[in-house]
Amino acid sequence: MGSMIEFSRPDGKTAPGYLAEPAAVREHAPGVVMLEEWWGVNDQIKETADRLAAAGFRVLVPDLYRGRVAATGDEANHLMQGLDFGDAAMQDARGAATFLKSTGSPKVGVTGFCMGGALALLSAMHVTDYDAAVIWYGFPPAEAGDPANIRIPIMLHWAIDDEFFPLEGAERIEERLVAGKVHHQTHRYLAKHAFYNPGGLGNHDPDAAETAWERTVEFFNENLK
């Protein structure tokens, strides 16, 4: 089980976050900044952070909504619409990466789901603090940046039947990664959006979820340890 902490942002402000530590060998364990779905830092995202910590990583989830969580899609959409994505990526997420590195993690990755996937991709494009990234079914608009500029290894999980982030957008990102000669892996699953989340939209696909999870852990092991 992790705990809530406060960490510093690059602008000097503080932000809350959920920190999950591995049970053993915490010293020099790699870190991962995990970015939430549009629901907020709820029990499911905390359990996901705990699971990644159990695999040997120090995981920090910035609380982008500052304690608020959504129970319905309408509430989640309202919270997401009020979020400053640039501030979330350049201040909260970057501050979380700095915290992990300053407290013992030699390398730090970034990952995120849905809205958090879009933020993780934004971070990989514009922040140099990360050593690897894993994106789960989310991407920012094209004007947010060029994936060809990414200079770290990146893995991307897409849902073929994603009604929120259509596959056409994923294909555009893949084309830019190829153009930029970015070291990347892409995986597509015959599933719907948010297939990892057992709750949420009700689209959980256990087989796709476990396959993507195993690939994620292996990828972070290869690039962060």
Side-chain angles (χ1 to χ4, degrees):
M1 291 292 292
S3 60
M4 295 301 296
I5 66 163
E6 293 278 334
F7 61 90
S8 296
R9 299 169 16 132
D11 63 5
K13 297 178 182 178
T14 59
Y18 180 79
L19 178 65
E21 298 267 16
V25 197
R26 296 185 185 184
E27 187 177 1
H28 304 309
V32 175
V33 176
M34 180 179 289
L35 298 163
E36 67 206 53
E37 287 188 322
W38 68 342
W39 307 106
V41 182
N42 58 10
D43 288 343
Q44 188 271 332
I45 205 73
K46 291 178 181 177
E47 290 166 2
T48 304
D50 291 342
R51 186 181 186 191
L52 193 56
F57 301 90
R58 304 176 65 229
V59 185
L60 181 53
V61 187
D63 188 350
L64 305 177
Y65 293 161
R66 301 298 189 263
R68 292 172 293 173
V69 295
T72 68
D74 286 345
E75 290 177 3
N77 188 58
H78 176 73
L79 288 172
M80 183 180 69
Q81 293 296 330
L83 183 67
D84 183 332
F85 273 58
D87 185 74
M90 302 305 294
Q91 296 295 331
D92 283 3
R94 190 177 180 190
T98 299
F99 173 87
L100 289 169
K101 286 194 174 182
S102 68
T103 53
S105 294
K107 291 186 176 181
V108 173
V110 62
T111 191
F113 302 80
C114 175
M115 177 188 82
L119 284 167
L121 189 56
L122 197 64
S123 297
M125 289 190 291
H126 295 293
V127 180
T128 59
D129 301 58
Y130 304 106
D131 299 285
V134 176
I135 313 302
W136 295 74
Y137 38 74
F139 50 80
E143 60 268 23
D146 187 355
N149 294 328
I150 293 173
R151 290 296 173 261
I152 57 174
I154 185 168
M155 173 178 280
L156 309 104
H157 301 299
W158 306 123
I160 292 174
D161 296 325
D162 197 317
E163 65 273 36
F164 291 94
F165 294 92
L167 205 55
E168 292 80 7
E171 290 170 346
R172 172 187 59 81
I173 290 165
E174 292 173 5
E175 290 171 359
R176 295 307 302 155
L177 293 173
V178 171
K181 296 181 171 60
V182 181
H183 176 67
H184 69 284
Q185 297 181 34
T186 61
H187 301 285
R188 301 183 184 188
Y189 305 85
L190 189 55
K192 294 183 178 182
H193 182 72
F195 62 79
Y196 181 82
N197 190 341
L201 300 171
N203 290 341
H204 182 55
D205 185 313
D207 291 339
E210 287 310 299
T211 299
W213 182 263
E214 290 171 5
R215 287 169 169 165
T216 295
V217 172
E218 181 180 0
F219 183 79
F220 277 149
N221 278 332
E222 290 174 355
N223 292 286
L224 299 180
K225 290 187 176 179

